[in-house]
Every structure is written in structure tokens, then in C-alpha cells.
Amino acid sequence: MLRALLLGLVMLVAASPARAAGDVETCRNATAEPTARLAACESVIADDKITGPSRAAAFWFRGDSLMKKRDYDGAIAAFTASHEIAPQNINVINARGIAYSYKGDDERALADYDLCLQLRPTYGSAYNNRGLIFMRRGELQRALDEFNLAVKHVFNDQSRFLHHYNRARVEGLLKLYDASLADYAEAQKVNPDGPQVPAYRCITYTSMGKFDEALADCNAALAKAPNQIYTLTSRANAYLGKGNLDAALDNYNQVLKTNPNYVRAYVGRGQLYEKRRNPAAARADYRSAANAVAARREDIDTTLARRVAKERLEALLGTAAPAPAGKTTPSAPAGPRKVALIVGNGAYRNVAPLDNPPRDAKLLASTFRELGFATVTLAPDLSRDKFFATLHEFGMEAEKADWAVVYYAGHGMEIGGVNYLIPVDARLKADSDAETQAVALEQVIASVAGARKLRLVMLDACRDNPFEKTMQRTIALKLVNRGFSNIEPEAGFMVVYAAKHGETALDGDSLNSPFATVLARVIKEPRIEVRKLFDIVRDDVWKATNRTQQPFTYGSLPGREDFYFVAGK
């Protein structure tokens, strides 16, 4: 018995180094199945006895895996650990630079690329990555200089493709069209069947006014990747340039149905509406583009499109016919023209329904009608498509008003620093689905932006996240399960939360939520300036909920004017 026990101990001791060696081999095997490889690398990291290149490689693969999950902080920490073990490994330094760049920290990214070039001045990837940052910033000549050096230091087919391809893009933006087409041709020699070259060359041909060539390239790219919204938008732009407005509009609408927050499609459609002499629709689209959530690392095409949106919006507002001084329409009430949009989402299809929001919406709609608002739009149980269409229509209505007010009751949450209102048809199987299935708060704020004086958004939506238990975490972004995050709207806007950021709004024990009940009562009281009004609402809700719910106000209204819902004596 003792002999058997000793034999077993010997076998265990012998197995440990063998298992460690297997983990090292799997961790360093680039062709290994990713999940098994990551598990092996984590085992290597956990074993303090493994040092040197094998340990550095394990940290590198951990960083690479975290990059794919968009956990850039975790990736940076892993690459840093790898770099500390192997400080001369430029591939690790370059990978950390990419992580910094994706995080939006371009200065640290550039510092890492500079370090790569100090260690190896012929390292083409660092030149290429510096060029991408400068191109994204709009520093096009600096980007071209970097891409020239990247092309000079090509070291394999992949780098040959990327460096020529990226230089072609910036040459197109600089209107160096012959050089751009030549570089695209070089890149296509390396990857003749890929969709990337025709997708971007389509843009160059559109800029050149060669719309048939542009359409041929976009169609070729879409044949290989039919749902690529970037290329669909580029094809719409080519149709727009050629004058085929119906085809362009169909493509823009298709893109926005897939991703209702896509800046380039809003800008293109806005330009189309201008061609059709529909300035109100154009302004609404330009507002949606200008106010869309900005990514940490926005590509140059989106940056340029957003710039066009702001310029055209300013131009159209500057040329809008002013209302005749001292005149009102016969049916218009005295005082400022006020419009309101009231949304109550309760009939959720994929999570438990909410009883109060539809009732709250009816209560507030009735209240605003009593207050003499020119139009009050009651919009219950909005699906995603209907939600965006309603905001678009209200945005055009707000342009004709002095006051524009939106009240929303329903589910809302924050994902990755973005606040979303949840349509009734949302599934949100994964956190990243919010980008295409939910409505960003910025789009709601954009809908009131056209009003001349008061722009107000009220959100009775800080409820618990009903998708939290089933939602797959595909990206390592902050997910708040209780309420919204705080915001900083531009001057001239006021946003009111029914509960302070990160807290939960209550449905209450009555037919209406505490916030809606108090708001509907206080808002009717005469001569309460709107800033003070929401202080009173805060205090009364705080008292009614036994100090468990505290409304909060963000933003600021114009300081030289007072605003009253009821201007009585």
C-alpha cells in the first residue's frame, strides 16, 4: 500500500512539468483553437515557475484576446506585462499602441509607435499605424508622409496590402486620384477577391465624378458583403452624385433601418432632401448626424460627414425665412409656440411589460394639452423603427416652435457610457445590440434642438435593466443595471431624470409613477419658473418616496429669459 502511494506521488510530480510544457506549446501555437490556446496561456501565466519568452507570449495572447472583446484597459495591462518581460519585442509594443488607439488615447499610441521605430527604424507597421491616427485626425499630409514610409518598408504580403490600401485612401481624400487608383491596384494584386479595395475605391471614383465606375466597384464589394452599411452608404452617395435620387434614397433608408445611428447615411440623405427642396427634412437629418453618439475612435469618413452636417445645418438655419415681426397666425395662441412629444413604452414583447408608462404618458399628454401646447403628440408603445420615425417628425415640428418638450416613460439603460431608451421590440441578446436596437439619448435631444427657446427632455426611465440576466456580455464595456449615467448636454438644453444617475425610478403604488404624479400637479401651478419648478418636483418626489428617489436636472437654459408653463398672475 505504501509503495503504491509513493508511486502515485511520483507520477503526480512527474505529470506537472509535462502538463506545463504542454500548456507552453499550446499557448505559443498560432494555429491552436483560440479558446484552448487562451486557457493554456492563462495556465502559463498562473505558473510562476514559467519565465522568459514563454511567459511574455502568454501575456501577449491574453492581450490579443481582450482586444477582440474591446477590453482595451485589460489588453493594455496584458501587453505591458509582456513588454516588461521582453522589452525589445516591437510586436508587443505595437499591439499596445493599437490598444491605446482603440481606447481613444492617441498620444500614448503614438508614443508606443515611436518606441517601435527607435528599436527598429524599418518597422513598417508603426509608420502605417501612425498614418492611421493622422488620417483620422484630418492631418492628411502627415498621414501621407507616414504611409509613404510604410510602403517603403513593406515586409510581407499583408503589410504590402495594408500599406498601399491605406495610402490609396488618404491620396483619394487629398484628390491625388491617379496615385490613389495606382495604390488600390497594387493592394488588389495581393488580395484580388477581397471587398475592401472596391468598397473604398468606390468613394474615390465618386469624388472624381466617375459615378458608373463607382457603382461598379460598390456593387462588386456588396456582392461579397451584401449587408455592409459602409458600402451601401457609399453606393447611395454614388447614386446621389449621378442624379438617381430614388435609388440613393432607397439605399440610405436601408442603411438607417439596419443602424438608425449611422452618421454618413443621415448626411447623404440630408443632401438628397436638399436637392428635392425639402429643407425641413434635410435639417432634421443633419441634426441627427451632428448629434449622433461619437465613437472613441471615429473614422475619417464619419468625421468629415459630421462636419458637413454641422456646416449645412448652419447654412440652412441661416437662410430659413424668419417669422414676420409682430405677426401670428389667426389660430395661434398668444405667447411662445409650444410642442410636446409624449412617449410611454409599456408593452414590451421580450421582457415583462410595464403597467405605468402608458398611463403616465396619457396623464402628461392631457396635462400639456391643458397648458395650451400647440401640438401634443402621444406615442405609446413605440417599436425601434416607429421611435426613430416619430423623433424625425417631431424634430421638424420643433423647428416651428419656441418650446419643444419630450417626455419618455419606459425602460432605459446605460451601456458603455451611452444612455439608451428601449423600444418595445428590443431583444438585446447581447450588449452590443443596443447600438442598432435601441435609441440613444442624443437622438432624443437632437429632436428638440430646432426649437427657438426652450429645449427640454424628461426621462421617467431609470428602471432596473430587465435584460440583465439574459444579456450576453460580448464587449468589455461598462453596463449599468440601475438607471442612466450622468450627462452634460450643450448650453440651451435641459434634461431631467426621474431618478439621479445610477439610481432607480419607482413605479409607485398608484396608477402613475411618483415622478409623473408630482410633475402633472406642479407644472400647472402659475408663475413657477421652469428651473425652480424642477427643484420643487425633486423635493416633492423625494418626500413622496420616503427619500428613496431623487430626480435630477442636467444642462442649462438661456440665462436672460424666464420660462413659465403657466404664466398666470
Side-chain angles (χ1 to χ4, degrees):
M1 180 68 181
L2 181 60
R3 182 175 179 276
L5 180 59
L6 289 173
L7 180 61
L9 289 173
V10 169
M11 291 176 67
L12 284 172
V13 172
S16 180
R19 196 158 47 243
D23 287 337
V24 169
E25 182 179 351
T26 303
C27 178
R28 302 195 73 167
N29 183 1
T31 63
E33 193 275 326
T35 302
R37 187 181 182 190
L38 180 60
C41 289
E42 291 297 338
S43 295
V44 170
I45 292 170
D47 190 342
D48 293 336
K49 296 177 182 177
I50 300 175
T51 59
S54 295
R55 190 170 186 81
F59 275 114
W60 173 86
F61 190 72
R62 174 194 274 181
D64 187 64
S65 299
L66 292 172
M67 281 287 290
K68 291 180 173 65
K69 295 179 180 180
R70 301 190 204 178
D71 183 357
Y72 304 125
D73 288 327
I76 289 165
F79 291 138
T80 298
S82 180
H83 173 59
E84 289 172 352
I85 298 167
Q88 302 298 309
N89 190 325
I90 58 174
N91 292 319
V92 171
I93 302 168
N94 185 60
R96 188 175 65 180
I98 294 171
Y100 276 127
S101 181
Y102 273 79
K103 185 184 175 183
D105 191 344
D106 284 345
E107 295 309 315
R108 282 193 170 93
L110 288 170
D112 271 347
Y113 301 145
D114 291 346
L115 179 56
C116 288
L117 293 171
Q118 289 173 24
L119 295 170
R120 188 189 299 174
T122 60
Y123 188 53
S125 293
Y127 291 118
N128 178 76
N129 292 336
R130 287 202 311 199
L132 289 173
I133 289 177
F134 294 137
M135 180 165 65
R136 197 169 65 248
R137 288 177 171 180
E139 300 175 46
L140 300 183
Q141 186 56 54
R142 289 186 72 182
L144 180 58
D145 294 341
E146 296 292 336
F147 291 137
N148 285 337
L149 290 167
V151 169
K152 181 179 178 181
H153 297 297
V154 163
F155 56 92
N156 59 20
D157 279 347
Q158 182 182 12
S159 67
R160 180 176 290 105
F161 172 82
L162 285 174
H163 301 173
H164 280 287
Y165 166 75
N166 285 325
R167 188 169 71 173
R169 290 176 61 197
V170 78
E171 286 166 339
L173 292 170
L174 287 167
K175 303 188 187 308
L176 303 172
Y177 297 129
D178 290 341
S180 177
L181 295 176
D183 269 330
Y184 279 131
E186 286 298 316
Q188 200 163 30
K189 289 177 184 177
V190 179
N191 186 9
D193 298 322
Q196 296 95 331
V197 167
Y200 278 93
R201 191 169 57 195
C202 169
I203 297 173
T204 298
Y205 277 132
T206 300
S207 298
M208 296 171 70
K210 295 187 174 183
F211 302 117
D212 289 332
E213 290 89 339
L215 290 168
D217 261 348
C218 274
N219 287 333
L222 287 167
K224 297 165 184 173
N227 298 317
Q228 231 295 334
I229 61 173
Y230 185 94
T231 312
L232 272 171
T233 305
S234 298
R235 184 171 72 178
N237 291 342
Y239 277 132
L240 180 64
K242 190 176 181 180
N244 189 342
L245 303 190
D246 289 338
L249 183 59
D250 180 69
N251 278 185
Y252 290 134
N253 289 341
Q254 185 179 347
V255 170
L256 291 171
K257 186 173 180 62
T258 302
N259 184 349
N261 297 295
Y262 195 61
V263 171
R264 293 177 65 232
Y266 277 120
V267 173
R269 195 171 69 174
Q271 293 172 319
L272 184 150
Y273 285 139
E274 284 200 73
K275 285 181 178 288
R276 287 189 165 172
R277 301 183 185 280
N278 187 348
R283 288 193 295 268
D285 271 354
Y286 290 144
R287 279 201 183 90
S288 293
N291 289 280
V293 177
R296 292 180 183 177
R297 183 176 178 269
E298 197 158 77
D299 63 81
I300 180 63
D301 304 292
T302 302
T303 299
L304 293 174
R306 199 187 293 271
R307 185 181 305 164
V308 169
K310 293 177 180 178
E311 290 172 353
R312 292 308 305 149
L313 182 59
E314 183 177 347
L316 289 173
L317 290 174
T319 58
K327 294 184 180 181
T328 60
T329 59
S331 60
R337 187 174 190 274
K338 305 172 185 178
V339 298
L341 169 63
I342 313 296
V343 180
N345 278 0
Y348 284 93
R349 303 171 191 174
N350 301 298
V351 292
L354 295 172
D355 293 330
N356 271 4
R359 295 195 293 258
D360 294 339
K362 289 180 182 178
L363 172 65
L364 268 298
S366 174
T367 301
F368 283 119
R369 291 189 182 108
E370 289 181 35
L371 294 173
F373 273 57
T375 65
V376 177
T377 303
L378 176 60
D381 296 326
L382 294 182
S383 65
R384 186 203 69 169
D385 291 348
K386 186 62 177 174
F387 209 141
F388 276 98
T390 300
L391 289 174
H392 193 271
E393 292 166 7
F394 183 70
M396 291 189 285
E397 184 70 23
E399 283 197 337
K400 298 176 284 185
D402 298 293
W403 290 29
V405 178
V406 173
Y407 169 86
Y408 171 81
H411 279 306
M413 68 180 73
E414 178 212 345
I415 296 178
V418 179
N419 292 310
Y420 291 102
L421 312 187
I422 310 302
V424 295
D425 59 346
R427 293 184 179 275
L428 298 181
K429 292 182 178 180
D431 45 15
S432 57
D433 290 340
E435 297 175 7
T436 55
Q437 294 182 18
V439 179
L441 175 56
E442 282 78 3
Q443 295 293 359
V444 181
I445 294 173
S447 73
V448 302
R452 289 180 284 270
K453 295 183 178 180
L454 183 139
R455 308 174 187 98
L456 172 65
V457 174
M458 296 175 286
L459 302 175
D460 195 356
C462 309
R463 294 166 171 82
D464 287 333
N465 172 13
F467 302 91
E468 192 264 333
K469 292 182 179 179
T470 58
M471 182 184 288
Q472 181 184 2
R473 306 294 179 91
T474 63
I475 51 179
L477 293 176
K478 181 184 177 186
L479 176 62
V480 169
N481 297 323
R482 294 172 63 85
F484 291 126
S485 65
N486 62 322
I487 59 168
E488 296 181 8
E490 294 181 7
F493 293 83
M494 179 178 281
V495 179
V496 180
Y497 288 179
K500 190 177 179 180
H501 56 269
E503 296 181 357
T504 302
L506 305 174
D507 277 337
D509 299 324
S510 64
L511 292 177
N512 297 105
S513 74
F515 180 78
T517 301
V518 170
L519 177 64
R521 171 175 53 80
V522 176
I523 206 170
K524 296 177 185 177
E525 297 180 14
R527 296 299 297 173
I528 301 180
E529 206 279 330
V530 69
R531 300 168 183 85
K532 183 177 181 181
L533 184 148
F534 284 109
D535 287 342
I536 296 172
V537 169
R538 178 200 61 212
D539 294 345
D540 286 2
V541 170
W542 183 242
K543 181 179 179 181
T545 60
N546 293 318
R547 302 169 68 87
T548 59
Q549 178 179 333
Q550 182 183 18
F552 210 82
T553 301
Y554 303 87
S556 59
L557 297 176
R560 294 184 178 276
E561 185 171 355
D562 290 334
F563 300 92
Y564 299 92
F565 280 97
V566 179
K569 296 180 181 179

